[in-house]
Amino acid sequence: MSAFVGKYAEELKQTAKYIATPGKGILAADESTGTIGKRLSSINVENTEPNRQALRELLFTTFDALPFLSGVILFEETLYQKTAAGKPFVDVLKENNVVPGIKVDKGIVELAGTNGETTTQGFDSLGARCQKYYEAGARFAKWRAVLKIGPTEPSELSIQQNAQGLARYAIICQENGLVPIVEPEILTDGDHDIKKCAAVTETVLAAVYKALNDHHVLLEGTLLKPNMVTPGSDSAKVAPEVVGEYTVTALRRTVPAAVPGVVFLSGGQSEEEATLNLNAMNKLQVLKPWTLSFSFGRALQQSTIKKWAGKKENVASAQAALLARCKANSEASLGEYTGVGADGAASESLYVKDYKY
Amino acid sequence: MASLKLSAPSSQWISGEKHFSRRSCLRTAAPRRVAAGPIRAGSYTDELVQTAKSIASPGRGILAIDESNATCGKRLASIGLENTETNRQAYRQLLLTTPGLGEYISGAILFEETLYQSTTDGKMFVDCLRQEKIMPGIKVDKGLVPLPGSNNESWCQGLDGLASRCAEYYKQGARFAKWRTVVSIPCGPSALAVKEAAWGLARYAAISQDNGLVPIVEPEILLDGDHPIERTLEVAEKVWAEVFYYLAENNVVFEGILLKPSMVTPGAEHKEKASPETIAKYTLKMLNRRVPPAVPGIMFLSGGQSEVEATLNLNAMNQGPNPWHVSFSYARALQNTVLKTWQGHPENVKAAQKALLVRAKANSLAQLGQYTADGENEEAKTGMFQKGYTY
């Protein structure tokens, strides 16, 4: 058969198309318990379930920001949590036309015989888990593959292994009603220039789409979550217009028009940087048949978490910070961002070398 | 020269010169070309991109007249003419000196002999074409031969010495190349045949670009067979996935290629014929799933369809905006009536040239999504499918 047309095909297409609505994007709030612990400790808050619940409630009840979001990615624990008043988070989101999504991978492990390259785990019982997440209200999933740039990296093994992994994950999701977000993140670590990043991104994306096609994945029912094409973290920065051109060129060469949306990861970019780059991409006067939007974690939450600092009395101002970033990125996804609203925290780099997610 | 018909549905998706003007933005950066220089730029990259864009211009398509001497002989025989160089030259002269051809035709694919021929007045054919702003192209493959270990399938030869041949053709004035391989659904196709077809195309494409010629990438999925349209879709998706992957591995610059696919139709012997709308739906679905937006033009082959069928199907595909220029590269579907009108008689040349313009204009309108079949004659509606056709 060509593309897989199971019982969820129409729903998958509609969900993917909705998530790719121009002017909307995704809030990635799927930090694992370990990772969210790092965020909390940076504001001297203990990593307990009530605290994790409090942070997420803060985010999801920023009702003014929700119109700018088409989806939120959750961690498993959060999918089953409720507000303090007892309302399931999933219902809060759905009532505000925000589609709940779920991280389904189980982290990365090293590929033996490589120079620190990795593959992603999480296939065991993935189908059954997806079914349960669907029953709990999730309608899309996310799986993060990681590649790096080095003298001999990414290796052919790493490219093939990660591409196959993404494709296998994607088809299992589609069999069970979840739109797969396909995320082949190429880390910015290194001193390579933007051309090198572009070449690697094009090679990786070509392999990813070959694998998706071989696995009969229905492209109309997927989303792509790639890195933007930028210089390495140890290299000189370039203007957003340059990032925009190289990124859109790479996508035009690799992503078929059947894919409804590309929702970028922010990597270690500052909040403002990520917004400016997204804006530059959307201002480019060239044909881009997919929506170009955001799926940001750190680049949406950084200021918010700082302002909250774990204190109830700060909730309102923390929510105001989240609203500002959501609005800015919504404008950027339409190429209409004018740069107003960048404060100190928003310009702070979020890059962490050899970042373990 | 075709005028840019900006109101046509297809043109809003084509990034022509107009769309490169930048809106003012926050940073005062110097005006920049929109498409960043391709990563794997060779010395001809800019020219390749311009050539491809010129061929993929709105309202225009390709006239394929690259029949080998043997195949041209069959055409001439069908109107009772001997297969001599003089007759071949006379026929090609008829076609290539058609006044106003450049309004509907953006490129002409030639056979090697023709690339070096002139009119009886001594004007080189390539110059006749350039005058009409038609890009000269050249067939560079060396034909199909049996593929050992396959299920009676073929593979396409021609890589040996290809680089120097391309360089010579470039010197003579060619600016694009064409290589036709085939895939047979009744024979499988086998994974081996698909892999070989895709890999050969990718290697040819890289070598062409290295020598200044825009490669037309043509994996023809033959019409032969009794399979339904769904099966054709399946095979086409598999073939194009493989083709694009190998093109990427060979570092081919996608902004400087053109595709020449077969439309997605049922097999010729399938019990039900499909309407132009159905063919358009399946074909566009396949293209949207496989062709990156960076590819500037998709020029369909006609593969045995009647002249009118080929035009109707193209028209159906252009009823809405597409991310790439969707047009034609027709041989039989442009030449059939012309040949029959000419019959080899000099006094029929003008009428034959008019017949060519009729077909070219019809397909030009189809490219713009504005064709109607009213007024077409019966001859033009006759199918040209031949079982087991060897090209």
Side-chain angles (χ1 to χ4, degrees), chain A residues 1-3 13 156 159-160 194-195 198-199 202-203 206-207 210 213-214 218-220 239-242 245-246 249 251-259 276 282-290 334-336 338-339, chain B residues 12-15 19-27 29 32-40 230 233-234 237-238 241-242 244-246 248-249 251 253-255 285 287-295 322-324:
Chain A
M1 101 179 42
S2 65
K13 285 196 246 183
E156 186 64 12
I159 294 172
Q160 291 307 324
I194 193 169
K195 288 196 165 137
E202 289 175 21
T203 301
K210 177 67 164 61
N213 293 338
D214 286 346
L218 178 67
L219 295 185
E220 294 88 332
E241 288 70 33
V242 180
E245 281 180 35
Y246 276 91
T249 300
L251 297 176
R252 278 170 50 85
R253 290 172 174 173
T254 52
V255 184
V259 176
L276 287 171
N282 279 294
K283 288 172 75 86
L284 271 180
Q285 301 285 353
V286 75
L287 178 84
K288 316 173 271 292
W290 354 256
L334 297 167
E336 291 168 4
T338 52
Chain B
Q12 84 191 70
W13 290 94
I14 299 164
S15 51
H19 298 171
F20 282 0
S21 64
R22 302 179 57 76
R23 284 156 41 192
S24 64
C25 55
L26 186 66
R27 307 281 155 101
R32 215 186 282 281
R33 284 183 321 156
V34 175
I39 303 307
R40 313 137 185 152
E230 288 80 7
L233 177 65
E234 210 180 349
E237 288 184 358
K238 175 69 184 158
E242 202 107 342
F244 275 106
Y245 186 57
Y246 293 147
E249 281 202 308
N251 295 316
V253 177
F254 288 172
E255 291 87 348
K285 183 181 289 203
L287 296 175
N288 273 296
R289 287 175 175 174
R290 291 295 181 267
V291 184
V295 175
N322 292 310
W324 349 255

